[in-house]
Amino acid sequence: MLRRLVQLYVGLCLYGISTAMFVRANLGADPWDVFHLGVGKVFSLDIGTVMILTGALVLLLWIPIRQRPGLGTISNVIVLGLAANATMAVLPRPDPLWLKSALMVAAVVLNALATGMYIGAGFGPGPRDGLMTGLHARTGWSLRGIRTTIELTVLVIGYLLGGSVGVGTLVYALAIGPLIQLCLPWFRTAPKAEPVAAKVKAVS
């Protein structure tokens, strides 16, 4: 149990760090962070605060689909935003393009490792992934279709609000699934993590 708890919180912290790395690279973020950045720009909020508020609001959408949050779910809402803000406070914005590119690639790899750790710990999905799997369970719609619809929606909204879309967004979309598939077996520690792992390719 202790190992799983450590793995859960280390994974969540690393996920928040990877988010800050994406932002500092300024080459485009994953769909949900494009949304977070857009909302933050409109309301003059830091990305960590937006992540926490968004996670809490998404969690409310679990009520009609009768999803039950786990420890990992609640921790996801709080820890990701705090870790992202703490990292943003100490991580400078690089100037050379090669350094931005390296930071962006490192963010994708770290994000995959963090996701593998978090899901592999087996304490429940994050609010965003739980919404996806809950809708699948209630409607029978395909996971791929639900995920694509949700992520395209938040991506477009985030872009219209001024979120950062760029080559990093494309790299993330193409690389994150295979990378998580590679990383997840390294961190799977609980049998109950397996159904989530089979359905979910990313945390946020």
Side-chain angles (χ1 to χ4, degrees):
M1 175 64 75
L2 178 60
R3 176 189 170 185
R4 290 173 57 208
L5 285 170
V6 171
Q7 181 174 309
L8 169 68
Y9 288 107
V10 170
L12 291 175
C13 287
L14 291 179
Y15 197 103
I17 291 170
S18 73
T19 297
M21 291 166 66
F22 265 123
V23 175
R24 288 300 189 220
N26 197 30
L27 294 174
D30 67 275
W32 273 105
D33 284 330
V34 172
F35 176 80
H36 297 146
L37 289 167
V39 172
K41 182 173 290 188
V42 170
F43 294 100
S44 299
L45 296 171
D46 56 70
I47 187 171
T49 300
V50 177
M51 290 170 71
I52 292 171
L53 293 174
T54 301
L57 289 174
V58 172
L59 199 55
L60 293 177
L61 298 177
W62 284 32
I63 297 174
I65 57 177
R66 300 177 185 175
Q67 286 282 88
R68 292 185 178 180
L71 175 63
T73 310
I74 304 302
S75 299
N76 179 292
V77 173
I78 300 169
V79 175
L80 295 191
L82 295 179
N85 276 352
T87 306
M88 291 284 288
V90 298
L91 183 65
R93 186 187 300 274
D95 289 325
L97 180 59
W98 71 266
L99 195 52
K100 290 183 178 182
S101 300
L103 187 61
M104 180 266 292
V105 171
V108 175
V109 174
L110 184 61
N111 188 277
L113 286 168
T115 302
M117 294 180 73
Y118 158 69
I119 293 178
F123 284 103
R128 298 154 186 82
D129 286 326
L131 177 63
M132 176 186 67
T133 55
L135 286 172
H136 169 71
R138 296 291 294 175
T139 66
W141 299 338
S142 72
L143 282 167
R144 179 179 299 179
I146 294 171
R147 182 184 181 88
T148 300
T149 300
I150 292 174
E151 295 207 346
L152 281 177
T153 300
V154 297
L155 177 62
V156 170
I157 293 173
Y159 174 73
L160 293 175
L161 294 176
S164 175
V165 175
V167 64
T169 310
L170 179 61
V171 170
Y172 183 91
L174 294 176
I176 195 64
L179 284 174
I180 291 175
Q181 185 174 2
L182 174 67
C183 295
L184 188 57
W186 303 345
F187 302 109
R188 186 174 293 150
T189 60
K192 64 179 179 181
E194 294 179 3
V196 178
K199 296 177 181 179
V200 178
K201 288 187 177 180
V203 148
S204 193

